[in-house]
Amino acid sequence: MYIIDRFKLPFFVVFWLMFSSFFVYASQIDNMYKDLTLLDKTAQIGRKSYTTIGDKFYKIYADNPSGKYADDALLGAARAYRRSFERFNMQIDLDKSLNYYRMVQGAFSSAAARRAYLESADIFLARRDSASAKFTLNKLMQKHPNSAEAREAEKKLASLGTNNRSTITRPNPVITADNQVKKQDNKPLKEPVKNIAEEDDKDVVSVSAGQDSGATASGKTVNVHGIRYFSDKDYTRIVIDLSNNAEYSSHWLKADAALHKPPRLTIDINNSILGNNVSKNLSIKDGLLNAVRLGYHPQDKRTRVVLDSANVKDFTVFQMSNPSRIVVDVFSSERKEDVKRPVIASNNQTAKNNAAKDMKTKRPDDLPKDITLGAALGLKIRTIVIDPGHGGKDPGAVYNGLKEKDIVLEIGKYLYEYLKSDPDLNIHLTRNKDVFIPLEERTAIANKLKADIFVSIHANAAKNKAASGLETFVFNVTNDRAALEVAALENQATTKSISDLQGILKDILKYSKLEESVSLAGSVQSCLVKNVSASSKQNLGVKQAPFYVLVGATMPAILVETGFLSNNDDASKLKSSAYRKKVAKGIYDGIKEYISKYNNF
């Protein structure tokens, strides 16, 4: 949409330009749908033709996330990738389609959002996943009870049978290492090759350290120089510290009763050496992991990390840069087990009361990860973690005499005080002083506290000094160059490494709370813009990007960019404590709006 200074142009000119931009978007969307129809009728056509149209749809949304046609454009992106999947059967297209559908559902309350529920339910039905379809249709009926789409959902549910209690079965542990994603080629996960994954790992117990022989043909040798963990009874994060990024693989080994071995997760780090000072056997015994063992295979210069499972049901493995480390998140059967989801029909108060009664005995972390209607299920948002970005040795963006770490800490403290005034809320700060906390530790703190909301606060910067405004991000993959640059800045990484990360995270996204995060981000963004009296030009909207600090969050999570320190006007405002307090109040109002929406549904 055109950015117009209405005070410098006659009203009729402003009106004409705005009308023209709306007409252009409407025409583009109509033409792209015609193109999709033409593709469907064309025999000799490639997948790229569909994804190109999908990306064009998404660009209309990304250019103006709060615009008149934003919801229709995002729905168009979901449909284009869905058609690509139906024709070429590429899993990545299905993942993108479902992600875009969830974004429409979370960001909008329009007809497009209602259609998104129905169409995503149809996808689940086509894949014979009636449990997910039922739950999606129930959510539509709960959020839009008086709509024509809700009536259509009710008919679909009736056709699926009288028992509409849905259960989503979690898959076997998911491997997300980048090299394995490439090798799998969207085929079902097979048992790992015998010489690595099925071998008796007794050589891991008897450890011998390797010697660094310098760079090899495959690249620089990686030093494994530390291991850390953040432990809880149903969630544990293991961090393996490296000298530089590594090639690695992950394998899940089933229990071996004959050898008295529990189920195990192994991570093999290629072309590496294991430091002499690294602890080789960590006893954890937190009810989830019994121990973590490290060992070295000198024949092929491979370090193996073994996680002995006590109660692991699901896990993810991914790599982070600057500094380099491999992060492993493991979850218990309690957190990931099948959960019966009750039917909450809009015209059935008894069903609502029974559902609330059933769920009151459960903690929020016992419940399905994609539940959004807290009140209907007897849940309340209680615990909020505020994360002031950067700190200590990491100053963040430094421009115009300002350090990002100082600004966001003050905003975080103000937000803490606002939220603490509500006696029903438990509020935590990841840091309340100028200390350094690694990105992976911040999310682990929120997960351990079983937070219901995670808010990371930052200030932006850009090479273009004219760039300014406020924006709120949710965790997702994206092709938006500007969003990737923001993520690279906050991740302390290059845009190339961020692009690599997106491939690794595709399985993590399947369990992310995207819909809830988008809804939370929308409330925070609108209230923030309103409270600081920002112009429409300053409202950069809700966007998506792969931020390290949000990876693995098991609750709705957002990252708020409070302005550009590289812009003179934004920096001038952020120098003022009074303005920082306004920013905090805007974020607070948005959080409270989101809480009210779900706690009092």
Side-chain angles (χ1 to χ4, degrees):
M1 181 177 177
Y2 296 109
I3 303 300
I4 302 166
D5 188 338
R6 64 185 65 190
F7 299 106
K8 293 181 181 179
L9 290 174
F11 174 77
F12 74 89
V13 177
V14 172
F15 178 81
W16 183 83
L17 287 173
M18 292 179 66
F19 178 80
S20 297
S21 65
F22 289 143
F23 177 78
V24 168
Y25 281 146
S27 178
Q28 286 179 344
I29 290 173
D30 184 57
N31 287 336
M32 285 189 287
Y33 272 119
K34 290 178 181 177
D35 290 342
L36 278 177
T37 301
L38 182 61
L39 290 181
D40 290 339
K41 297 178 180 179
T42 306
Q44 299 298 323
I45 205 73
R47 171 177 170 267
K48 180 72 172 177
S49 300
Y50 283 93
T51 61
T52 297
I53 294 176
D55 292 343
K56 286 181 178 178
F57 270 120
Y58 181 76
K59 188 176 187 305
I60 293 176
Y61 161 78
D63 285 347
N64 190 7
S66 57
K68 181 178 180 180
Y69 293 102
D71 55 346
D72 290 328
L74 196 53
L75 181 61
R79 288 169 170 173
Y81 273 96
R82 176 185 177 182
R83 291 191 190 185
S84 180
F85 168 74
E86 289 170 346
R87 186 158 184 177
F88 300 101
N89 198 33
M90 295 290 288
Q91 183 68 33
I92 189 173
D93 293 339
L94 178 62
D95 293 341
K96 272 201 169 185
S97 177
L98 289 173
N99 267 334
Y100 288 148
Y101 276 127
R102 285 197 292 268
M103 288 189 71
V104 181
Q105 294 161 11
F108 304 99
S109 298
S110 61
R114 299 191 295 273
R115 293 307 308 175
Y117 279 111
L118 288 174
E119 291 177 24
S120 54
D122 287 341
I123 290 176
F124 293 131
L125 288 173
R127 296 174 65 79
R128 299 183 180 179
D129 184 358
S130 60
S132 296
K134 289 176 183 178
F135 185 59
T136 302
L137 294 169
N138 278 324
K139 286 208 293 184
L140 167 57
M141 294 169 62
Q142 293 158 358
K143 292 185 74 173
H144 308 281
N146 299 317
S147 65
E149 291 81 5
R151 291 190 290 275
E152 187 175 345
E154 192 169 12
K155 291 179 181 178
K156 286 179 179 288
L157 281 171
S159 70
L160 293 174
T162 56
N163 180 15
N164 292 329
R165 295 172 64 89
S166 58
T167 301
I168 291 182
T169 303
R170 294 292 183 190
N172 290 328
V174 176
I175 313 292
T176 61
D178 190 32
N179 58 342
Q180 288 204 342
V181 169
K182 294 175 182 175
K183 291 178 181 177
Q184 285 175 351
D185 194 26
N186 299 310
K187 295 179 180 178
L189 184 65
K190 297 180 179 179
E191 285 293 318
V193 294
K194 184 174 183 179
N195 65 336
I196 293 178
E198 294 181 349
E199 65 186 355
D200 185 351
D201 59 357
K202 60 181 180 296
D203 55 337
V204 175
V205 179
S206 55
V207 177
S208 61
Q211 300 296 319
D212 187 359
S213 59
T216 67
S218 61
K220 191 173 182 179
T221 300
V222 176
N223 289 278
V224 180
H225 55 71
I227 188 163
R228 299 172 281 133
Y229 69 93
F230 311 92
S231 177
D232 192 36
K233 68 183 181 67
D234 58 357
Y235 163 79
T236 300
R237 170 166 283 187
I238 305 293
V239 182
I240 307 165
D241 293 312
L242 310 171
S243 60
N244 47 280
N245 285 359
E247 292 183 0
Y248 68 97
S249 58
S250 307
H251 306 281
W252 179 255
L253 308 182
K254 296 180 180 180
D256 190 332
L259 296 173
H260 304 289
K261 289 182 178 292
R264 310 171 311 281
L265 170 62
T266 69
I267 298 97
D268 286 323
I269 305 170
N270 300 327
N271 192 27
S272 64
I273 62 170
L274 179 60
N276 289 317
N277 295 325
V278 179
S279 177
K280 309 306 187 298
N281 198 327
L282 299 175
S283 178
I284 298 181
K285 297 187 183 300
D286 57 4
L288 182 56
L289 291 175
N290 286 325
V292 177
R293 296 175 287 128
L294 291 87
Y296 189 65
H297 298 246
Q299 295 85 356
D300 51 7
K301 296 189 65 177
R302 177 184 49 161
T303 300
R304 167 167 284 192
V305 181
V306 179
L307 281 63
D308 287 332
S309 168
N311 193 26
V312 173
K313 178 72 172 181
D314 198 10
F315 64 88
T316 55
V317 185
F318 55 95
Q319 188 161 208
M320 301 171 74
S321 303
N322 294 333
S324 298
R325 64 267 201 213
I326 294 172
V327 179
V328 186
D329 282 340
V330 293
F331 302 91
S332 73
S333 56
E334 180 180 55
R335 182 179 291 269
K336 293 282 191 172
E337 68 186 356
D338 298 348
V339 180
K340 298 291 184 182
R341 295 184 174 97
V343 177
I344 314 294
S346 60
N347 60 351
N348 190 338
Q349 187 61 43
T350 301
K352 290 183 180 181
N353 293 338
N354 289 340
K357 182 178 179 181
D358 289 343
M359 293 297 175
K360 280 179 180 176
T361 59
K362 293 181 176 291
R363 301 191 313 277
D365 57 303
D366 291 330
L367 296 169
K369 291 167 68 61
D370 45 3
I371 284 291
T372 59
L373 303 176
L377 295 174
L379 302 176
K380 299 291 182 182
I381 292 174
R382 299 294 189 195
T383 303
I384 300 173
V385 171
I386 304 164
D387 174 46
H390 307 280
K393 65 182 182 180
D394 174 17
V398 180
Y399 288 88
N400 289 303
L402 298 172
K403 294 180 180 179
E404 181 182 358
K405 67 174 184 177
D406 299 328
I407 293 169
V408 299
L409 179 58
E410 186 173 346
I411 293 172
K413 286 181 175 179
Y414 284 138
L415 178 58
Y416 176 86
E417 292 302 324
Y418 281 127
L419 289 168
K420 283 293 286 183
S421 64
D422 187 337
D424 292 329
L425 296 176
N426 301 315
I427 314 301
H428 302 270
L429 283 161
T430 56
R431 68 180 183 98
N432 59 9
K433 56 186 177 181
D434 186 20
V435 295
F436 173 75
I437 302 176
L439 294 176
E440 68 274 9
E441 186 171 337
R442 296 167 189 260
T443 314
I445 290 170
N447 286 343
K448 285 188 64 176
L449 289 170
K450 299 179 176 64
D452 301 303
I453 291 175
F454 179 74
V455 180
S456 192
I457 304 173
H458 292 259
N460 215 334
K463 293 178 181 178
N464 178 11
K465 301 300 187 292
S468 66
L470 306 158
E471 54 193 344
T472 305
F473 285 89
V474 298
F475 174 74
N476 205 347
V477 297
T478 182
N479 295 324
D480 185 337
R481 180 71 181 180
L484 288 174
E485 288 178 351
V486 175
L489 178 68
E490 301 299 356
N491 292 343
Q492 305 169 22
T494 66
T495 52
K496 181 182 182 302
S497 66
I498 297 302
S499 298
D500 293 341
L501 177 71
Q502 295 190 99
I504 300 170
L505 297 183
K506 72 181 185 71
D507 286 310
I508 297 176
L509 287 171
K510 291 179 183 177
Y511 303 129
S512 69
K513 290 202 165 187
L514 181 60
E515 182 184 337
E516 300 93 322
S517 297
V518 170
S519 181
L520 171 61
S523 292
V524 168
Q525 178 69 14
S526 61
C527 290
L528 176 56
V529 167
K530 179 181 178 181
N531 203 59
V532 301
S533 303
S535 66
S536 59
K537 179 181 178 181
Q538 296 286 305
N539 182 3
L540 303 182
V542 174
K543 298 181 179 180
Q544 54 180 342
F547 289 96
Y548 283 156
V549 74
L550 303 182
V551 174
T554 59
M555 71 294 299
I558 62 174
L559 185 145
V560 184
E561 293 284 3
T562 57
F564 286 73
L565 298 185
S566 51
N567 179 270
N568 290 335
D569 291 339
D570 282 10
S572 178
K573 293 175 185 176
L574 287 167
K575 282 181 181 178
S576 163
S577 288
Y579 182 80
R580 296 176 191 180
K581 197 167 188 177
K582 281 186 177 182
V583 170
K585 181 61 163 59
I587 299 172
Y588 165 78
D589 289 343
I591 293 173
K592 291 292 287 184
E593 179 180 284
Y594 175 83
I595 291 174
S596 176
K597 187 189 308 181
Y598 290 100
N599 278 8
N600 301 311
F601 180 80

